[in-house]
Amino acid sequence: SSELTQDPAVSVALGQTVRITCQGDSLGKYFASWYQQKPGQAPILVLYHKNFRPSGIPDRISASSSGNTASLTVTGVRAEDEAVYYCSSRDSSDNHVIFGGGTRLTVL
Amino acid sequence: QVQLQQWGAGLLKPSETLSLTCAVYGGSFSTYYWTWIRQTPGKGLEWIGDINDSGSSNINPSLTSRVTISVDTSKNQFSLKMTSVTAADTAVYYCSRGVWQRVPPLSFTSYMDVWGKGTTVTVS
């Protein structure tokens, strides 16, 4: 399969914890990567490999996975976490990169 | 710190050829997959394709007939050409640096860790 499925939107109260999920057959072979995109900006990598964060990404953003589902969890959500989050991997043939449709995180 | 600087024409007429170039500053050009991604207005991310320093490229199956990605290792640059553009190709185009590695014993990891600022291309 060459698809990654994400819920279109999720909302969370300030200071609470939220999980964003990504499902796809390729995730049985690939670790998902996660990107955060704020309006008018380029996406930035926030999680990759098993649960690695690039420099500058806070440790309250973490990754986990189970079978064909990958998850991004934000603990103690802040207003600055409001963004669209995309998951990605290569497809099962290894030849192409695929993205999920994105999940818009709204902080209440 | 690696930076990607991209440029190219921002306004095209239908049937013209889109041409974008991305220069890599501050890091190695080898061992990575140099990637083009686009985002149509209000939509998600679409991978266009990538290329390594040896010139081996992979292209999105939906775009293979119109897209060429090339690399100039002497300049640390890579380029995107897309022929016969239509209004549907109106988008923000990003260049990025891709990593693709095997994770023993049976897994792989793939991610884009550095992104250009994006170029808005309008076809009208």
Side-chain angles (χ1 to χ4, degrees):
Chain A
S1 169
S2 59
E3 290 184 351
L4 295 175
T5 301
Q6 298 182 244
D7 291 330
V10 64
S11 59
V12 60
L14 201 63
Q16 298 302 302
T17 296
V18 65
R19 175 175 290 183
I20 296 170
T21 61
C22 173
Q23 289 187 301
D25 289 347
S26 64
L27 300 182
K29 180 177 180 180
Y30 277 88
F31 293 102
S33 55
W34 292 91
Y35 305 86
Q36 177 193 72
Q37 187 178 34
K38 296 182 179 180
Q41 298 182 16
I44 62 168
L45 177 69
V46 294
L47 291 164
Y48 65 102
H49 199 33
K50 297 176 183 177
N51 186 23
F52 288 15
R53 286 175 297 276
S55 174
I57 304 302
D59 60 6
R60 54 197 179 76
I61 298 178
S62 63
S64 60
S65 67
S66 177
N68 291 348
T69 299
S71 300
L72 175 155
T73 299
V74 185
T75 304
V77 168
R78 299 184 179 186
E80 67 206 50
D81 298 324
E82 188 163 282
V84 179
Y85 292 84
Y86 295 93
C87 62
S88 177
S89 78
R90 291 192 92 91
D91 66 7
S92 298
S93 74
D94 299 330
N95 292 331
H96 312 118
V97 172
I98 52 178
F99 286 98
T103 298
R104 182 175 301 277
L105 173 62
T106 299
V107 180
L108 303 173
Chain B
Q1 183 175 353
V2 177
Q3 292 188 347
L4 304 183
Q5 183 176 349
Q6 57 181 107
W7 65 89
L11 181 61
L12 297 172
K13 293 181 170 55
S15 80
E16 291 186 336
T17 296
L18 179 157
S19 182
L20 299 174
T21 298
C22 184
V24 181
Y25 298 104
S28 170
F29 201 71
S30 59
T31 76
Y32 294 102
Y33 286 80
W34 302 100
T35 305
W36 289 99
I37 292 159
R38 71 179 179 179
Q39 186 170 36
T40 51
K43 300 290 187 180
L45 301 172
E46 179 182 24
W47 178 79
I48 299 171
D50 59 27
I51 191 166
N52 64 15
D53 61 318
S54 300
S56 176
S57 65
N58 298 290
I59 308 296
N60 188 315
S62 68
L63 298 170
T64 50
S65 63
R66 298 194 294 130
V67 165
T68 302
I69 297 177
S70 59
V71 65
D72 185 341
T73 55
S74 68
K75 296 181 179 179
N76 278 16
Q77 294 177 0
F78 61 106
S79 298
L80 167 70
K81 288 193 188 303
M82 180 183 294
T83 61
S84 305
V85 297
T86 69
D89 296 311
T90 294
V92 178
Y93 288 74
Y94 297 100
C95 62
S96 65
R97 185 178 78 171
V99 174
W100 182 10
Q101 294 174 334
R102 181 170 185 163
V103 181
L106 295 174
S107 297
F108 292 82
T109 189
S110 172
Y111 54 91
M112 282 71 71
D113 63 347
V114 183
W115 293 63
K117 292 184 177 181
T119 299
T120 299
V121 175
T122 301
V123 181
S124 177

